[in-house]
Amino acid sequence: MDNFKKNKLFYVGLSLVGLVFIAGTYFGVVSVLDQSKTALALEKVKKETAALLAGHVFAHEDRAISLTDDNVKNAAKDLADLNEQLAALRASIASNPELIIRGKQSTNSNELNATLKQSVDEWKKLAVDHDVKILPNDQCDFGFRRYIRNPGTSPKREFQRVDQQRLIIDFLYRQLVESRPASAPLLLLSVDREPVETYVLIPEGKPGAGTYGPENESSRNENDEFSPTRTFDRPGLVETLSFRLRFAGTTPTLRTFVNKIRNSGRAFAITAVEVRLPSPEITKAIGIIAPPGAPTAPAVTNLPGFFAEDTTAIASKAKSSGATPKEVRTLVFKETPSEFIVQVDYLSIPEEKPAALEGEAKK
């Protein structure tokens, strides 16, 4: 102790030297460790760079595509072309703004329900006025049976989309009525729709968030509601509303109807067309709607122009009488009605939400 007191400065200096040595050793170890980490990170970057330069073999390519300047430029050009094509597709789907079918935004439940019933009544009257018949045992409700057959019920949500469906059905139905040739039979079996209001949006944070799931109290679909198996719907890219029209008639009616939809300038896509033989019930109903006094097909006794004997006999008879031979037409095949099922998608571009609204939604 006396020695420490006598050599106080010496021991203090020695202590400081010891502390400096310990600190130097610590920082040296830390520096070595940092250097090792940096070396490992550098080695990893070198391997990744080498892999990028070596290239990647895609499924449709036999050679590796490397990260060269030319490939980077080509990739940038491909991206620009894809964005241009995407913009063109969005523009074609959006169609003419004046032709877009939109629902009424301010529609409420009671007002929408009254509008639906009024529209169904107008469509039934239109059928009567244009000699379009409906099966007598199953009155068509044009996709809104759950509200027409159950007094007091009305849509609970998605008012604008349901009203949009009403307007789309009005357009499709009128196109079908106008597609019927004069005196041709047309029997409307049903107009079916996708029941968008019976599904609820799954909130964020739950499985399937951002999609629609069935609601327990109304997941049972009516006869004129269906879930499309073929659709152009792509979440985030294209939204669709699906419809299905079932009717019995002749092929010209179907052909004209399809062409009217395609040439309407509206964002419609025909996803399926089915042709079936009509059931006895449908055949009977079609017979009922045949116009009165329609000529029946005569019995075919010969086929002029198909057999040499018939042609020769007609020519010799005309020559002997001195009259100019007249063209003789005999009904060989009578077109019979068929049952048609046409499924249609109405396409629209999802509305882009402002950034502020998206931030509020996440909160």
Side-chain angles (χ1 to χ4, degrees), residues 88-110:
L89 288 174
R90 291 174 65 91
S92 63
I93 292 174
S95 70
N96 187 340
E98 297 180 356
L99 298 178
I100 296 178
I101 302 176
R102 296 185 176 91
K104 189 176 180 181
Q105 294 184 355
S106 61
T107 299
N108 56 47
S109 179
N110 295 331

Side-chain angles (χ1 to χ4, degrees), residues 3 7 16 38 84 91 94 126 146 189 194 209 259 263 271 276 348:
N3 190 22
N7 303 285
L16 292 174
T38 304
E84 183 178 352
L126 182 65
R146 66 168 61 244
L189 301 175
E194 182 182 4
N259 288 333
N263 301 328
T271 58
R276 301 177 181 176
S348 60

Side-chain angles (χ1 to χ4, degrees), residues 297-325:
V300 179
T301 57
N302 53 36
L303 301 176
F306 286 86
F307 298 94
E309 294 82 4
D310 296 324
T311 305
T312 305
I314 294 173
S316 60
K317 186 181 296 185
K319 185 177 181 180
S320 61
S321 62
T324 304

Side-chain angles (χ1 to χ4, degrees), residues 69-89:
D69 292 339
D70 291 339
N71 287 337
V72 171
K73 292 179 181 179
N74 292 334
K77 182 178 182 301
D78 290 342
L79 179 60
D81 292 342
L82 288 174
N83 288 332
E84 183 178 352
Q85 184 179 7
L86 178 60
L89 288 174

Side-chain angles (χ1 to χ4, degrees), residues 135 187 277-288 339:
L135 286 178
L187 174 66
L277 291 175
S279 64
E281 181 184 8
I282 294 176
T283 303
K284 181 179 179 182
I286 294 175
I288 294 174
E339 179 183 345

